[in-house]
Amino acid sequence: MKSMEQPYAARREEIYGALRQEGVFTWDHMYGEEYALASVHRITAEFRQEIAEATEKLGEIFRKAVLVIQHGDPQLLSELGLPQEAVEAVRVSLPLDFTTAIGRFDFAPTPDGLKMLEFNSDTPTGIVETFHVNGRVCDHYGLTDPNAGLSAQIAEAFQQTVIAYKRQGYPVDRLYFTSLDWHEEDAGTTRYLLEQSQLPGKFVALSDLRYVEEEDALYALAQDELHLVEVLYRLHALEKLAEERDADGYPTGAEVLDLIARGRLAIINPPAGFIAQTKALQALIWNLHETNQFFSAEEQEVIGRYMLPTYLENRFQGSESYVSKPIFGREGGGVTLHAASGAAIDRDQEDFYWEQDMIYQRLVEMETVEIETLKGPYHGHLLWGSFLIGGQASGIIARVGGRITGNLSYYLPVGIE
């Protein structure tokens, strides 16, 4: 166990210098700023258990809703904000007992307990930090890693997904994992998932994927040769794929989604997981809760305890503080915090996601913590991420930032005393 009396910068370099040298986690600084902290936030075993239970129970609630919506009226899928190009793709059904192979709920610790803010069921990140870095930091300080051993769930969920596709008659021998190769975090996360999945796949840059119209198939370009893609893990959001066109304006993204819809391409996360990604589903679940429909009494209790009032229209202005969020926003993009009057308390400063439809959610007071950073003490708001892998509660990750947890918020390792 190393002493906390050592200067922060020296402790930090001892931890992250070694990790950088290994090459698995190299983005402890991002955009020229410190991202990964050398401090540890200590939690109790009881809190660890509660967040795990909330994650699994909410995962079942989202799965129950998705299974019905997936086969419902196309108009409902449209009302939930899914792009028209993706509507048939998300109807693809697999013999699995989970909706998404790897997803992450975000929770705010509040005076009223844990409250779930959103569910990234399509392309979550923070994976290497959770399953690799956290354990190394805990080892450094002699603490128990709350995520110890949980990375094994990744292989199980990914392999179960591939087996499910095979049972449905898909060819599954040619596997590729893809992301933006120039984006250090995305590429590093994708390569880590490839290794952890224990699948015989290869990494390919998004820019090296090709839809070949004559073959009606997706190919990966490698060493000037095209290789057929049968299974694709992509750290690339489906709503972005739906909009993509090549330099000539050809709708390549829509063609790929059509391949998925027609069973000519298997993807991870499974396409049905995209339904759970839209925050409009949270509004639908809350509406069913308020009207006491669809869910069992036990499920209603879970929704009331861990979810927040969420609507597709603003029911808060004039009565209580609220948040407006884009239905497919990420990393705090497009989020505004409002006073009851409607006046903005805080607003995301980035340019993305503002054109999307919004949901409106009750504003809650998040727990604040003081942490040590290279710039000195920092007083910020704590956000918990809790992974759901193959339908099971998995690793947790803490982020600390402003009232809106944005892309530049700190990653804070977590340990159990």
Side-chain angles (χ1 to χ4, degrees), residues 85-348:
E85 296 86 348
V87 166
E88 292 308 313
V90 301
R91 293 186 182 279
V92 171
S93 248
L94 293 175
L96 289 166
D97 58 5
F98 52 84
T99 298
T100 189
I102 181 166
R104 191 196 71 230
F105 284 105
D106 285 345
F107 289 95
T110 78
D112 295 323
L114 277 177
K115 296 296 180 183
M116 191 272 285
L117 302 183
E118 54 193 63
F119 183 28
N120 188 337
S121 59
D122 188 36
T123 55
T125 54
I127 293 165
V128 183
E129 295 91 319
T130 302
F131 297 101
H132 184 71
V133 179
N134 202 80
R136 295 291 293 275
V137 179
C138 285
D139 286 347
H140 187 87
Y141 293 119
L143 297 169
T144 298
D145 176 16
N147 304 329
L150 294 176
S151 62
Q153 293 174 317
I154 297 171
E156 185 178 357
F158 274 58
Q159 290 172 24
Q160 283 182 11
T161 304
V162 172
I163 290 168
Y165 276 115
K166 188 173 183 178
R167 286 176 178 163
Q168 295 290 82
Y170 286 72
V172 295
D173 295 325
R174 298 173 176 89
L175 294 89
Y176 287 86
F177 282 54
T178 191
S179 68
L180 298 168
D181 60 334
W182 54 263
H183 193 286
E184 191 174 10
E185 180 189 9
D186 283 7
T189 299
T190 303
R191 292 181 188 277
Y192 177 80
L193 284 171
L194 171 56
E195 179 184 0
Q196 293 299 311
S197 74
Q198 299 176 28
L199 292 169
K202 298 177 181 177
F203 178 85
V204 61
L206 270 170
S207 58
D208 288 332
L209 289 174
R210 302 284 187 273
Y211 170 70
V212 179
E213 189 174 4
E214 296 77 11
E215 302 293 334
D216 190 28
L218 187 68
Y219 284 80
L221 178 65
Q223 299 176 335
D224 297 323
E225 292 184 355
L226 289 174
H227 303 268
L228 180 66
V229 179
E230 293 175 339
V231 182
L232 184 71
Y233 167 79
R234 32 91 230 164
L235 191 58
H236 187 60
L238 286 192
E239 77 271 11
K240 292 182 179 179
L241 180 64
E243 299 172 349
E244 286 178 350
R245 296 175 175 269
D246 66 15
D248 299 324
Y250 186 78
T252 50
E255 292 288 3
V256 173
L257 284 163
D258 186 52
L259 289 179
I260 297 165
R262 291 186 288 115
R264 293 186 58 82
L265 176 66
I267 62 165
I268 306 172
N269 276 314
F274 185 49
I275 300 172
Q277 176 73 33
T278 170
K279 297 181 186 68
L281 180 56
Q282 291 177 243
L284 175 58
I285 291 172
W286 188 260
N287 175 264
L288 292 170
H289 169 65
E290 282 194 324
T291 54
N292 199 27
Q293 299 181 70
F294 186 62
F295 294 108
S296 69
E298 182 182 352
E299 289 165 339
Q300 294 283 10
E301 193 275 332
V302 171
I303 294 167
R305 177 186 298 181
Y306 293 117
M307 293 187 69
L308 289 166
T310 305
Y311 305 100
L312 293 176
E313 66 282 342
N314 189 349
R315 298 190 187 180
F316 299 104
Q317 189 165 339
S319 60
E320 59 181 312
S321 304
Y322 63 96
V323 185
S324 58
K325 300 178 182 181
I327 59 173
F328 287 118
R330 289 170 171 81
E331 298 285 359
V335 172
T336 304
L337 311 185
H338 301 266
S341 65
I345 301 169
D346 201 354
R347 184 180 188 273
D348 173 53

Side-chain angles (χ1 to χ4, degrees), residues 48-61 103-105 107 119 306 385-389 391-396:
R48 181 69 185 94
Q49 181 64 25
E50 182 186 7
I51 200 169
E53 289 178 358
T55 297
E56 281 198 10
K57 289 176 179 178
L58 286 170
E60 279 301 306
I61 285 166
R104 191 196 71 230
F105 284 105
F107 289 95
F119 183 28
Y306 293 117
S386 183
F387 283 90
L388 182 76
I389 299 183
Q392 297 180 319
S394 192
I396 57 173

